[in-house]
Amino acid sequence: MTDSGPSGDLAETLVDWFRTDARDLPWRRPGVTGWQILVSEVMLQQTPVARVAPIWEDWIARWPVPSAMAAAGRGEVLRAWGKLGYPRRAMRLHDCAAVLAEQHGDRTPEDVETLLTLPGVGAYTARAVACFAYGQRVPVVDTNVRRVIARAIHGRADAGNPSTTRDLADAQALLPTDVPTAVTFSAALMELGAVICKARTPDCARCPLSECAWVAAGRPPLEGPARTVQKFAGTDRQVRGLLMDVLRGSDSPVAKPRLDQVWTADPGQRERALASLLDDGLVEQTAHGDFALAGESGS
């Protein structure tokens, strides 16, 4: 294998493992464009792969290039988003598609700096697109990568609070010098954290790494109190989702009494959730007082 730099053994082991054991995800297949990788990365934020994959494939068939999505209405995009959660991501993708179509020749840029100027594209997404779509040697750091590095390199059970400077420096230090190998290594780090080196149930018996600082230290537990898992049932987020379900399922504006039936346990919470959807621009109110998805109120 080409010289891999200071992380040679780790990189070679993970790259070999990834090439034989990586999941067959649709956005990893040949012929996927930068735009399509961008869509996958936005969808995968806080959403499991199993839920994303079928919707991503539908989106790519429907909107294979940015201009196709830009030509669609906001309501159409929000409806196609389905139950992926955090629907503001769909609106950001719609805004991003318009910018790409109008200012970038209907193509997703290759460099991190330009990617960061796009609506809804942050530090992680910009580097992920540059790396996985265009084969650039840039550090790509998500929660999974932070956890693998914390355990394998630093011997800690958890990465602690994010620090962009520190986290990127840690990942950069591990990148092989050979560019194609570095790209595969970045994907392998992420894959290891997603399928084996999990937060709560690490499967160390299946880990391809023969040396891990955390295992060598006796797998010390988390320092301080364990992080609480954010509940969903009964939250404003759940109520927002129920309201959006009704609006996505209707091809015309919905009267308020119909929305009132969505959540009767706490009318105040329901009104608060509806107001937040209006404030976020996901929902609009018609001149007659009915409610519709963004762009479908007729105003």
Side-chain angles (χ1 to χ4, degrees):
M1 174 174 288
T2 304
D3 172 36
S4 300
S7 58
D9 292 342
L10 172 67
E12 184 169 357
T13 298
L14 276 187
V15 167
D16 288 345
W17 167 77
F18 183 80
R19 285 173 173 160
T20 59
D21 288 33
R23 292 169 294 175
D24 179 21
L25 303 180
W27 42 84
R28 288 177 175 167
R29 295 170 188 166
V32 177
T33 67
W35 160 247
Q36 294 164 1
I37 292 287
L38 173 58
V39 172
S40 75
E41 290 296 344
V42 173
M43 285 185 169
L44 286 165
Q45 295 166 10
Q46 299 177 287
T47 307
V49 165
R51 288 174 57 195
V52 168
I55 293 179
W56 179 84
E57 292 187 291
D58 289 344
W59 274 48
I60 296 313
R62 190 173 187 175
W63 300 307
V65 293
S67 57
M69 181 178 289
R74 279 194 183 277
E76 183 181 353
V77 172
L78 286 169
R79 190 169 283 108
W81 188 257
K83 295 186 177 183
L84 286 182
Y86 303 102
R88 278 176 291 184
R89 292 180 291 167
M91 290 183 60
R92 294 191 192 108
L93 272 173
H94 189 249
D95 292 339
C96 186
V99 171
L100 293 175
E102 296 169 7
Q103 301 178 21
H104 296 279
D106 215 19
R107 188 175 184 273
T108 302
E110 299 184 15
D111 62 290
V112 171
E113 291 73 20
T114 307
L115 285 161
L116 285 169
T117 68
L118 300 175
V121 174
Y124 164 76
T125 303
R127 288 178 171 82
V129 171
C131 179
F132 302 136
Y134 297 115
Q136 295 188 24
R137 185 184 178 274
V138 294
V140 184
V141 180
D142 71 348
T143 301
N144 292 315
V145 170
R146 293 179 68 245
R147 183 170 59 254
V148 170
I149 292 176
R151 289 175 177 168
I153 305 300
H154 301 303
R156 300 194 304 266
D158 185 76
N161 294 325
S163 166
T164 300
T165 301
R166 181 196 66 219
D167 295 338
L168 288 176
D170 274 352
Q172 180 73 46
L174 295 174
L175 282 180
T177 54
D178 176 68
V179 175
T181 305
V183 172
T184 305
F185 175 69
S186 292
L189 268 181
M190 199 172 296
E191 182 82 347
L192 186 69
V195 302
I196 291 180
C197 194
K198 297 180 180 180
R200 294 179 177 273
T201 56
D203 190 353
C204 295
R206 292 178 53 225
C207 181
L209 299 181
S210 59
E211 296 182 8
C212 170
W214 183 56
V215 172
R219 295 175 48 157
L222 289 170
E223 297 177 3
R227 296 181 182 181
T228 57
V229 178
Q230 185 179 16
K231 67 176 184 177
F232 176 72
T235 61
D236 285 4
R237 183 175 161 229
Q238 181 189 20
V239 181
R240 281 166 56 103
L242 293 171
L243 292 168
M244 288 292 289
D245 283 346
V246 173
L247 297 173
R248 280 196 304 266
S250 176
D251 56 6
S252 60
V254 175
K256 182 65 162 51
R258 184 176 170 193
L259 293 179
D260 290 343
Q261 297 305 307
V262 162
W263 191 257
T264 58
D266 186 342
Q269 184 183 29
R270 184 189 64 237
E271 294 304 309
R272 183 170 67 245
L274 180 58
S276 71
L277 290 172
L278 290 165
D279 288 343
D280 288 344
L282 295 165
V283 172
E284 297 175 349
Q285 191 167 16
T286 71
H288 299 290
D290 296 334
F291 295 85
L293 293 177
E296 297 186 348
S297 66
S299 59

